[in-house]
Amino acid sequence: MTEQDIANYLQTNPEFFERQADLLAAVRLTSPHSRRTVSLQERQAEMLREKIRMLEGRLIEMIRHGSDNLALSDRMLCWARDLFLTQDADALPEAIAESIQLLFAVPQVAIRVWDVNPDFAGAAFAQGVSEDARLLANSLSEPFCGVNSGFEATGWLAHPSQAISLALLPLRSLEAGNHGPAFGMLVLASPDAQRYTSTMGTEFLARIAEVASAALTPLR
């Protein structure tokens, strides 16, 4: 008879414990916490307490994530409000970058927009974009997050040498979809190598890109 046979028997014959009630009290196990011997009932109670502590930890984590998500949603709404309140179309790109930097605590933010209406062709946000930068933006079907490996877009930042990790957000019209031509790009940069990593989710950054793209419609 193997241990599994015994386990199967006990599972299929629960009345065994009723017939052998004294046996439960007599069985002694070693507690992993105190290394002393305890009864089977005490060991089961310890296991239940451990499970309760684990569930409590998960509940606290869920509450924390819920609070974080609520705060993030509030900041997103404040950012959208700031864009609605921006009256001058040529001030929109700067408003987008400044609001992201302030509300989401991003150390550096830059934005470039191309193929703009001739009225805005001389603006700073429409300058300094090479064909390679455009091709990179076109190739991104979702925001890129990772270590700065010498991207040209870091040159748009005030302090390129301090950009260790980056998030590159392609800007597209909603009609273009994820694979259509981009008309701009947002750069979020941090001196912290772990701020933007290749393993992080990009859903929230994608929403930022969508809102920014919609807000920039008057420039095109």
Side-chain angles (χ1 to χ4, degrees):
M1 181 177 289
T2 66
E3 289 185 357
Q4 189 59 50
D5 292 332
I6 297 172
N8 291 338
Y9 173 80
L10 294 175
Q11 285 181 329
T12 56
N13 296 273
E15 66 275 4
F16 170 84
F17 296 104
E18 297 176 3
R19 297 193 304 267
Q20 302 291 335
D22 294 341
L23 179 62
L24 293 178
V27 172
R28 309 296 290 181
L29 302 173
T30 301
S31 171
H33 303 294
S34 61
R35 295 301 175 186
R36 65 184 179 87
T37 58
V38 297
S39 68
L40 181 59
Q41 291 96 329
E42 286 181 272
R43 182 69 187 104
Q44 287 178 318
E46 286 183 352
M47 292 173 65
L48 285 173
R49 284 193 291 269
E50 290 172 3
K51 192 176 221 180
I52 290 171
R53 280 194 294 269
M54 181 179 68
L55 292 174
E56 286 177 342
R58 289 181 181 175
L59 180 60
I60 292 172
E61 188 72 7
M62 289 173 63
I63 293 173
R64 185 180 67 80
H65 282 311
S67 298
D68 290 346
N69 289 338
L70 180 60
L72 206 56
S73 296
D74 285 344
R75 288 195 288 270
M76 186 74 166
L77 290 172
C78 288
W79 178 56
R81 177 203 62 198
D82 289 346
L83 300 187
F84 277 123
L85 293 175
T86 303
Q87 300 297 319
D88 297 328
D90 58 354
L92 276 169
E94 185 177 355
I96 288 171
E98 288 185 351
S99 293
I100 290 176
Q101 190 169 2
L102 177 64
L103 292 171
F104 300 104
V106 181
Q108 293 193 83
V109 181
I111 185 172
R112 288 294 185 274
V113 186
W114 48 86
D115 296 334
V116 296
N117 186 292
D119 293 340
F120 307 106
F125 58 76
Q127 308 302 312
V129 182
S130 71
E131 186 62 25
D132 287 343
R134 296 188 183 202
L135 291 174
L136 172 61
N138 289 338
S139 70
L140 297 175
S141 59
E142 61 183 26
F144 164 86
C145 295
V147 176
N148 176 20
S149 57
F151 291 103
E152 175 192 323
T154 58
W156 307 342
L157 300 166
H159 306 286
S161 62
Q162 298 177 20
I164 305 302
S165 65
L166 296 172
L168 303 177
L169 285 59
L171 304 176
R172 293 182 170 92
S173 64
L174 297 181
E175 298 79 13
N178 292 339
H179 300 282
F183 66 80
M185 188 157 63
L186 262 168
V187 183
L188 282 57
S190 172
D192 180 1
Q194 299 303 313
R195 177 69 183 267
Y196 302 107
T197 66
S198 58
T199 57
M200 69 184 294
T202 59
E203 292 83 0
F204 183 72
L205 293 175
R207 300 292 83 77
I208 286 181
E210 288 177 4
V211 173
S213 297
L216 292 168
T217 300
L219 300 182
R220 308 183 68 241

